[in-house]
Amino acid sequence: MLSQLVAYTQQKGLGAEPGFTTKEIRWLAGVSADGRFTELIPLDQSKTAPDLSQPEMIGMPGALRAMGYEAEQAAHFLADTCAVVFGLAERDAQGMVKKPQEHAKNLQKQATFRLLMELAAKDIPLLQPIAQALADPAQLQAFLQKLEAQAQKKGTEKLKPTDKITFFVQNRCVLDFPDWHDWWRRFRAQAFARPEASGAMPSFATGELVTPASTHPKVTKLGGSAFGHALVTYDKEAFESYSLSQGENAAVEEQAANAYRAGLDALLEQAETLGEMKVVVWYDQEIPEEDDFFRELFAPSSQAEELQALERARTVLQAFRTGQAPPNLRNARFFAAAMSPASGRVMLRDWQMGRLEDFIDAVAAWFSDLTIVRRDGGSLASPPGLNRLFQSLQRPKTPEQNLDDYLKPIKQLQTPLWRAALNPRLPIPYAAVAKIMETHTAEVMTGGFTEALKAQKPDAAALGRIYARMGLLKAYHNRKGGYRMSAELDLSHPSPAYHCGRLMCILAQIQEAASDSEINAGVIQRYYGAASSTPSLVLGRLTRLSQHHLAKMAKDAPGLAYWFNTQLAEVWKALGKNLPRTLSLEEQSLFALGYYQQMAASRKKSDSEKESA
């Protein structure tokens, strides 16, 4: 993985030089040529800025004192928070500083920040007006008042003490000038001179004999912490062996360590979310946008595009298999990683690699397995994005719920679902079926399921959850092997449980059509749960009641009664003579599919057969 991240960094031409990184700069402090602070300018852009690793930051005060300067706290060079550069404090409603000790440390950091600017300004004329303005207490106080006024604003205009700020000189952001690069390289080499290595070691990233970096830079785009997360760590005695210390336990040279961090951060900025994980996919060469199906797995923008993605994937696969695809694409490979933050470390939850053709084949198979008929029976529903599918396993999140608490019951399923999406030979987790059945049965018995299917004005979110659940149940049974289910009603399905669900649907329709039935309202809510677990007890009783309703219906609407009798005969032919006494959880999922697909088929026929009857 490290090797492929380094190759990706080189392929994309990402800057990965040690001592430099990309930072989100929120504000610019304008500085005039004569050393005065002018305006405060909002920026909110990523900029290449000087950077130090955590051990270097820890060692900075000692390094500066060794050079003959006073320093109590470390600070970044050229770009830091408003709290450090200008001493902006977070205040309460009464105007008092909220965290006095932290504010005192920030003032010590401010002194170090100013010292670095003074040292650099001796060699860099560009920085001299900035150093002059920072050394003027009156200028600092006046600009601090501007920051405090901006901090009182609401919404996106609000300034926070933790926002990063740098300077605007000569009509440009100072970070965009290369003038300071060489000075920073020299200062870093002098202040943090590396000791001579005892010996070269094979690099985990490049395979070459290298001097291992003692520490690795942290990944900053994973979220969850402003301090970043370490992908390679070794700060516990249990991680050290053979008298090796720190980076010697996972030898990676400093250049490669910065390269893999730069590549991973760039990928994480474009990552997709699955539960609490970030998922990234990249390729060993540039591929056409139309051949990159990673986004399709998560967020197709419309039904037409989702269904089009399946057909497009099949077309691309046909080109691969008939030799029409360019040779470079036939040889292309993909790399996929799923990760999440964990106490300052990157928890790598999954790592997969393979041919581009295999990846596209997996996407096509995934969409095909999830495809299910819409509620009206007239077309196929859009396969859901992966995160939407994952969250549909349970009831929708309420506004009061914390996201972590909401995901806790299902988070163990996020990695197996991701793996199944990338490998058509892997099964859908049984635990996912159990969770769907728990949620589905509860919604049926509270009326939410029926209400969503019958609503005149469709609730897209509610229907999307139903389609996702039914599609995943279908995918589960298809990936078990043996009989493959179709997206629509299957009259020849071999499972009695499936046809029990069909029977329940038709019996419910008969009850609803009988306007004077004493159980007309809520028949599904009252009987579905029991019928799906003990069909012989419940469906036998409902069948006897239906005969009474059909006999009466034959007088008032003989055509409709005939249609219902035809449907019943069709189901009983598939069921045989006896209803199952009990159904397992897997069989209950087939019951749910039979019920849903029968309902969709009945609606499709209702416009023709039932109306003409």
Side-chain angles (χ1 to χ4, degrees):
M1 178 179 171
L2 296 180
S3 174
Q4 298 305 332
L5 285 170
V6 170
Y8 176 80
T9 301
Q10 295 168 347
Q11 174 190 330
K12 296 294 184 180
L14 302 173
E17 181 182 352
F20 297 83
T21 191
T22 300
K23 294 183 179 180
E24 297 290 333
I25 305 299
R26 181 73 178 85
W27 303 94
L28 295 176
V31 181
S32 65
D34 58 350
R36 291 180 299 104
F37 288 119
T38 56
E39 72 269 49
L40 175 65
I41 306 169
L43 182 64
D44 207 10
Q45 285 185 10
S46 297
K47 296 286 185 181
T48 298
D51 180 54
L52 293 177
S53 66
Q54 187 175 9
E56 290 170 334
M57 289 292 287
I58 294 172
M60 177 184 278
L64 289 172
R65 287 195 291 269
M67 296 178 191
Y69 304 104
E70 293 185 6
E72 297 297 329
Q73 293 286 337
H76 290 283
F77 175 56
L78 272 188
D80 211 321
T81 64
C82 294
V84 170
V85 180
F86 292 100
L88 179 65
E90 186 178 1
R91 299 183 182 275
D92 57 23
Q94 287 72 41
M96 303 298 293
V97 175
K98 280 189 176 182
K99 301 174 182 177
Q101 291 182 340
E102 182 177 315
H103 180 55
K105 283 186 178 181
N106 284 335
L107 293 178
Q108 291 177 333
K109 293 178 181 179
Q110 182 188 41
T112 304
F113 186 89
R114 288 164 52 188
L115 172 61
L116 291 175
M117 292 298 297
E118 290 170 8
L119 295 175
K122 293 176 182 178
D123 296 333
I124 308 170
L126 174 73
L127 303 184
Q128 290 173 1
I130 302 174
Q132 181 180 339
L134 288 172
D136 186 341
Q139 287 288 322
L140 277 175
Q141 184 59 36
F143 199 75
L144 178 60
Q145 291 176 359
K146 288 188 178 183
L147 297 180
E148 289 175 338
Q150 194 73 31
Q152 300 303 315
K153 296 189 176 181
K154 305 293 184 182
T156 57
E157 293 186 354
K158 182 179 177 64
L159 181 145
K160 295 179 289 187
T162 53
D163 288 348
K164 289 185 175 60
I165 189 168
T166 189
F167 305 96
F168 187 76
V169 294
Q170 299 181 13
N171 297 317
R172 287 170 65 187
C173 172
V174 70
L175 296 178
D176 293 335
F177 290 89
D179 305 43
W180 52 271
H181 290 192
D182 286 340
W183 181 88
W184 176 244
R185 293 184 184 103
R186 291 194 302 271
F187 172 81
R188 186 170 172 270
Q190 178 187 359
F192 312 107
R194 270 59 176 176
E196 290 296 325
S198 57
M201 302 178 71
S203 168
F204 276 52
T206 64
E208 300 174 0
L209 289 175
V210 300
T211 300
S214 58
T215 60
H216 294 201
K218 291 190 174 184
V219 175
T220 61
K221 305 299 182 182
L222 187 57
S225 171
F227 300 103
H229 302 81
L231 180 62
V232 179
T233 62
Y234 22 70
D235 63 342
K236 299 291 186 293
E237 187 177 344
F239 299 161
E240 300 181 353
S241 55
Y242 302 103
S243 301
L244 300 177
S245 63
Q246 290 191 303
E248 293 174 343
N249 289 275
V252 177
E253 63 273 38
E254 187 179 33
Q255 187 72 31
N258 279 271
Y260 84 64
R261 191 274 297 270
L264 187 52
D265 270 343
L267 287 165
L268 285 169
E269 284 194 296
Q270 307 295 323
E272 296 289 352
T273 300
L274 177 57
E276 62 179 9
M277 300 190 312
K278 296 281 188 176
V279 180
V280 297
V281 170
W282 72 99
Y283 310 93
D284 65 351
Q285 58 185 274
E286 294 291 340
I287 66 171
E289 186 176 347
E290 60 269 20
D291 293 333
D292 185 356
F293 287 85
F294 172 51
R295 303 295 168 198
E296 310 287 356
L297 278 172
F298 284 87
S301 57
S302 69
Q303 177 194 352
E305 290 188 13
E306 286 170 332
L307 296 177
Q308 184 184 12
L310 176 57
E311 296 306 317
R312 191 158 53 83
R314 288 171 174 166
T315 301
V316 173
L317 284 174
Q318 182 68 15
F320 272 101
R321 291 163 183 170
T322 58
Q324 297 174 3
N328 66 311
L329 288 184
R330 293 201 296 271
N331 297 324
R333 296 181 64 79
F334 79 91
F335 309 97
M339 60 199 75
S340 59
S343 302
R345 295 177 176 84
V346 176
M347 179 181 287
L348 185 64
R349 295 184 175 273
D350 189 55
W351 165 248
Q352 299 187 55
M353 55 190 292
R355 300 184 305 162
L356 173 62
E357 180 181 348
D358 295 334
F359 182 78
I360 300 172
D361 183 45
V363 173
W366 180 249
F367 281 165
S368 178
D369 284 340
L370 289 176
T371 303
I372 197 77
V373 67
R374 295 176 67 84
R375 64 171 184 164
D376 58 7
S379 60
L380 299 179
S382 307
L386 253 174
N387 199 44
R388 193 177 83 188
L389 175 71
F390 174 66
Q391 295 197 23
S392 73
L393 297 179
Q394 58 183 353
R395 301 292 290 272
K397 177 181 171 296
T398 62
E400 301 80 29
Q401 276 183 299
N402 176 279
L403 182 60
D404 290 340
D405 294 337
Y406 174 72
L407 294 176
K408 184 178 288 187
I410 56 173
K411 68 178 182 180
Q412 76 277 10
L413 294 170
Q414 56 193 3
T415 304
L417 277 178
W418 168 243
R419 290 173 179 162
L422 262 62
N423 191 334
R425 292 176 295 279
L426 287 179
I428 304 300
Y430 178 80
V433 175
K435 192 63 185 175
I436 287 177
M437 291 310 301
E438 174 190 329
T439 306
H440 169 72
T441 304
E443 289 201 346
V444 170
M445 298 181 71
T446 56
F449 178 79
T450 304
E451 182 180 343
L453 293 176
K454 290 185 175 182
Q456 294 294 321
K457 186 176 180 181
D459 182 339
L463 286 175
R465 287 190 293 271
I466 291 173
Y467 297 150
R469 291 167 188 162
M470 294 299 109
L472 195 58
L473 292 180
K474 168 177 163 276
Y476 171 81
H477 289 283
N478 281 353
R479 292 201 174 189
K480 280 186 65 181
Y483 190 84
R484 286 192 63 82
M485 296 189 66
S486 65
E488 300 179 88
L489 181 64
D490 187 352
L491 300 179
S492 60
H493 197 288
S495 172
Y498 179 83
H499 298 291
C500 285
R502 294 179 58 206
L503 179 60
M504 179 66 191
C505 177
I506 295 171
L507 293 175
Q509 290 172 342
I510 293 172
Q511 298 284 355
E512 292 168 3
S515 58
D516 62 343
S517 169
E518 71 273 12
I519 58 171
N520 180 42
V523 62
I524 300 301
Q525 294 92 303
R526 294 178 62 182
Y527 293 100
Y528 183 93
S532 65
S533 56
T534 55
S536 62
L537 291 177
V538 180
L539 295 181
R541 178 186 174 193
L542 290 179
T543 298
R544 290 190 294 272
L545 285 172
S546 71
Q547 296 307 306
H548 166 74
H549 300 312
L550 287 172
K552 188 171 183 181
M553 195 183 299
K555 300 176 183 178
D556 303 328
L560 184 59
Y562 174 79
W563 186 86
F564 276 127
N565 276 312
T566 302
Q567 296 297 300
L568 285 173
E570 191 178 72
V571 174
W572 280 108
K573 179 181 177 181
L575 267 172
K577 294 183 179 180
N578 299 315
L579 291 167
R581 298 186 65 179
T582 61
L583 298 180
S584 66
L585 184 65
E586 281 191 10
E587 291 172 326
Q588 289 176 41
S589 68
L590 287 171
F591 182 100
L593 282 166
Y595 178 92
Y596 174 78
Q597 290 182 327
Q598 177 65 52
M599 182 218 64
S602 298
R603 290 193 169 193
K604 183 178 180 180
K605 293 178 179 179
S606 66
D607 293 338
S608 53
E609 297 180 25
K610 287 167 72 174
E611 287 184 10
S612 61

